[in-house]
């Protein structure tokens, strides 16, 4: 099954991608994590992406399309995958179509903007493995420490001003994808809940529908 998770930054796409990954045993592919990894490793692509990312803007289409194309050709994607954070623009969705990739379902996780700003301020990520936590909603077992032992930090782009810019970019460039996939009859909407477990239940139900 080839799936796409849509939703505003901080809507919980990453968390739901992990839930589906465990359930269907297909890999979660996050362009955000891949770009952050490239940045950490100082690759050319990482360096190109850095300023866009830190300002809350989208990395140019040709850059992300290139990394996704390479990633989806790997062996573990043969039986399906969950795209988290891609596509984020209409040209990116068209690029997927042009690669001959058939998407089975698109799950859109809806969370109001005010909630997003509140949530993002509490988000923490693991420096080592990229896992995501929240000070209120998804606490690590040990404060400030990931289950892998890595240190939890706040992403630069999770600071409030950058979050506002990311939301603006989301509404302008990513939200039109809802209509794009609705037209293809592939869109399911999940309303993000206060409790992560409730959102996960709704996501798994949407998969079955
Ligand atoms: P979130 O979903 O919380 O915004 P991500 O980790 O998915 O965070 O993305 C972080 C940043 O990485 C984005 O703000 C953007 O700069 C860049 N990025 C990730 N995926 C894409 C994409 N498909 N197209 C363009 N930029 C992307
Ligand atoms: Zn970790």
């Amino acid at each position: 099954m080839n799936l796409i998770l849509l939703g505003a930054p901080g809507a919980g796409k990453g968390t739901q991608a992990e839930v589906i990954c465990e359930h269907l045993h297909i890999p979660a592919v996050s362009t955000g994590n891949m770009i952050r990894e490239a940045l950490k490793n100082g690759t050319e692509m990482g360096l190109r992406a850095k300023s866009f990312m830190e300002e809350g803007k989208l990395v140019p289409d040709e850059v992300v399309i290139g990394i996704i194309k390479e990633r989806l050709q790997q062996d573990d994607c043969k039986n399906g995958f969950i795209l988290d954070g891609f596509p984020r623009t209409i040209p990116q969705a068209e690029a997927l179509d042009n690669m001959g990739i058939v998407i089975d379902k698109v799950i859109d996780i809806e969370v109001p903007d005010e909630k997003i700003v509140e949530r993002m301020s509490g988000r923490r990520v693991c420096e080592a493995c990229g896992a995501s936590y929240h000070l209120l909603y998804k606490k690590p077992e040990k404060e400030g420490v990931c289950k892998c032992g890595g240190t939890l930090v706040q992403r630069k782009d999770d600071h409030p001003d950058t979050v506002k810019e990311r939301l603006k970019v989301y509404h302008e460039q990513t939200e039109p994808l809802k209509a794009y996939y609705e037209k293809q009859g592939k869109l399911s909407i999940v309303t993000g809940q206060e409790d992560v477990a409730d959102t996960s239940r709704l996501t798994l139900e949407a998969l079955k529908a």
Side-chain angles (χ1 to χ4, degrees), residues 35 39 45-55 59 156:
I35 299 168
L39 237 169
M45 193 275 282
L47 292 175
R48 259 190 92 187
K50 187 176 167 43
S51 60
F52 295 102
M53 202 167 186
E54 286 178 352
E55 284 168 26
V59 173
K156 247 193 195 157

Side-chain angles (χ1 to χ4, degrees), residues 181-193:
Y181 288 114
E182 167 87 276
K183 240 182 262 163
Q184 299 183 5
K186 291 176 182 167
L187 188 73
S188 295
I189 293 179
V190 165
T191 305
Q193 305 292 309

Side-chain angles (χ1 to χ4, degrees), residues 3-208:
L3 302 170
I4 290 174
L5 281 171
L6 270 185
K13 294 186 295 291
T15 306
Q16 294 310 313
E18 279 171 35
V19 169
I20 301 173
C21 170
E22 271 169 36
H23 209 78
L24 296 181
H25 307 287
I26 50 177
V29 173
S30 156
T31 40
N33 286 349
M34 288 165 80
I35 299 168
R36 276 186 290 278
E37 190 63 30
L39 237 169
K40 208 168 74 183
N41 297 330
T43 70
E44 199 191 316
M45 193 275 282
L47 292 175
R48 259 190 92 187
K50 187 176 167 43
S51 60
F52 295 102
M53 202 167 186
E54 286 178 352
E55 284 168 26
K57 304 221 181 326
L58 293 184
V59 173
D61 284 337
E62 77 269 14
V63 176
V64 273
I65 290 168
I67 59 174
I68 266 300
K69 199 168 187 176
E70 211 170 280
R71 179 67 187 88
L72 296 184
Q73 278 165 4
Q74 285 166 17
D75 255 11
D76 62 332
C77 291
K78 275 210 181 94
N79 298 320
F81 48 79
I82 310 143
L83 291 178
D84 160 21
F86 187 96
R88 255 180 158 95
T89 63
I90 298 278
Q92 290 179 20
E94 289 168 349
L96 271 183
D97 292 342
N98 294 336
M99 286 176 217
I101 286 167
V102 178
I103 297 300
D104 298 294
K105 218 176 234 310
V106 178
I107 295 180
D108 171 44
I109 303 170
E110 289 277 333
V111 174
D113 284 10
E114 318 79 78
K115 267 262 168 282
I116 301 253
V117 177
E118 181 192 308
R119 277 192 194 189
M120 300 284 252
S121 61
R123 180 153 82 169
R124 297 294 180 270
V125 292
C126 173
E127 255 179 353
C129 76
S132 180
Y133 293 85
H134 195 282
L135 297 182
L136 299 175
Y137 307 120
K138 199 185 168 199
K139 290 186 195 172
E141 260 168 50
K142 193 169 158 219
E143 200 186 313
V145 184
C146 179
K147 59 176 186 269
C148 84
T151 305
L152 301 182
V153 295
Q154 182 171 40
R155 271 165 47 180
K156 247 193 195 157
D157 59 346
D158 277 350
H159 291 283
D161 284 345
T162 319
V163 169
K164 281 184 196 127
E165 176 63 24
R166 286 161 71 195
L167 279 171
K168 189 170 149 248
V169 168
Y170 166 75
H171 290 301
E172 286 171 3
Q173 302 196 54
T174 307
E175 215 166 14
L177 289 173
K178 285 199 262 176
Y180 183 91
Y181 288 114
E182 167 87 276
K183 240 182 262 163
Q184 299 183 5
K186 291 176 182 167
L187 188 73
S188 295
I189 293 179
V190 165
T191 305
Q193 305 292 309
E194 207 61 47
D195 194 331
V196 176
D198 290 330
T199 310
S200 304
R201 185 176 40 78
L202 295 175
T203 300
L204 295 177
E205 272 171 24
L207 278 184
K208 280 185 240 145

